[in-house]
Amino acid sequence: AQSVSQHNHHVILSEAASLELGCNYSYGGTVNLFWYVQYPGQHLQLLLKYFSGDPLVKGIKGFEAEFIKSKFSFNLRKPSVQWSDTAEYFCAVNENDYKLSFGAGTTVTVRA
Amino acid sequence: DAGVIQSPRHEVTEMGQEVTLRCKPISGHDYLFWYRQTMMRGLELLIYFNNNVPIDDSGMPEDRFSAKMPNASFSTLKIQPSEPRDSAVYFCASSTSGGATQYFGPGTRLLVL
């Protein structure tokens, strides 16, 4: 079964700081990769996704992620965070079917 | 499009009672997923349907849980009898057959006392 690892459980940073959230997965074949965001009290929303092509993917709200196949990684980045980026971030992977395996999530708290 | 619709948004019930959660997927989506989110276990896939047929229910915790999809626009997740450990947020998601992006509903926050 697919395993998805998110390195940080909770990240606290100040506005304008840069953010990088790590994600590693265990499957060695073809995968589709996703980052979802869950704002407090809300449902999951898609931030960005990678299916194929350019390994540097740009998403909404200034987020981007880089797929590094050799490292089985799909790290999320944002150069300058805002208070409104406070949320929980989930990395998810699927292996050519429609079952998504989610990481445990990383809570990001941005201090104003 | 209205997105994935779930009802109720909040449910408080007593142990032993039957609970029914409802989901309306995005029109035209052929896949429907039920997830449970808890602090301890994170997001877990319970079951998913393709064209109204259950494909994989290996995530359903036990026989107290059942899910149906009588038509393309409606699905239910039922817990009978409910237990306090079932307290969680239950999300429904849907996707098209041509892509793997899942779109999530707002969730039902269930509290079993």
Side-chain angles (χ1 to χ4, degrees):
Chain A
Q2 184 61 260
S3 169
V4 182
S5 225
Q6 290 186 237
H7 308 157
N8 308 97
H9 180 64
H10 194 180
V11 173
I12 302 172
L13 59 169
S14 300
E15 275 192 313
S18 64
L19 172 70
E20 180 159 0
L21 303 182
C23 173
N24 286 89
Y25 59 94
S26 62
Y27 185 65
T30 303
V31 292
N32 296 327
L33 300 156
F34 305 82
W35 276 97
Y36 282 87
V37 61
Q38 187 176 26
Y39 297 104
Q42 295 190 27
H43 63 286
L44 279 85
Q45 301 172 44
L46 182 69
L47 262 184
L48 48 78
K49 62 187 178 186
Y50 173 81
F51 288 177
S52 63
D54 188 344
L56 185 62
V57 180
K58 294 194 184 298
I60 60 171
K61 305 189 180 188
F63 285 90
E64 64 179 29
E66 185 175 13
F67 170 52
I68 304 179
K69 188 173 182 179
S70 60
K71 295 185 177 179
F72 301 93
S73 71
F74 189 55
N75 293 353
L76 181 71
R77 297 194 292 254
K78 184 169 183 178
S80 177
V81 295
Q82 300 173 309
W83 176 80
S84 57
D85 293 323
T86 294
E88 190 159 15
Y89 293 80
F90 293 92
C91 181
V93 180
N94 77 1
E95 329 164 18
N96 294 324
D97 63 13
Y98 293 94
K99 293 175 62 174
L100 274 179
S101 296
F102 281 88
T106 299
T107 300
V108 173
T109 301
V110 180
R111 291 177 173 159
Chain B
D1 201 313
V4 176
I5 298 172
Q6 291 186 247
S7 64
R9 294 293 305 276
H10 301 272
E11 177 82 27
V12 180
T13 190
E14 293 186 344
M15 183 174 62
Q17 297 298 305
E18 177 179 293
V19 175
T20 300
L21 312 180
R22 296 173 179 80
C23 175
K24 177 179 168 51
I26 293 172
S27 177
H29 283 194
D30 297 329
Y31 286 79
L32 183 139
F33 307 81
W34 282 102
Y35 290 89
R36 179 172 65 177
Q37 184 181 36
T38 61
M39 288 291 290
M40 292 299 293
R41 300 173 69 90
L43 270 160
E44 304 172 277
L45 176 66
L46 300 177
I47 185 171
Y48 80 95
F49 296 81
N50 175 215
N51 290 323
N52 313 338
V53 176
I55 302 301
D56 185 342
D57 64 355
S58 59
M60 295 286 262
E62 47 197 277
D63 291 345
R64 297 183 299 106
F65 285 70
S66 63
K68 293 181 180 179
M69 192 164 185
N71 57 62
S73 59
F74 183 65
S75 176
T76 59
L77 178 67
K78 188 175 290 187
I79 309 172
Q80 166 64 19
S82 58
E83 296 183 4
R85 60 193 166 119
D86 301 331
S87 297
V89 182
Y90 291 82
F91 288 104
C92 177
S94 70
S95 69
T96 64
S97 58
T101 302
Q102 294 180 21
Y103 296 89
F104 284 75
T108 296
R109 190 172 297 273
L110 173 65
L111 177 61
V112 183
L113 301 173

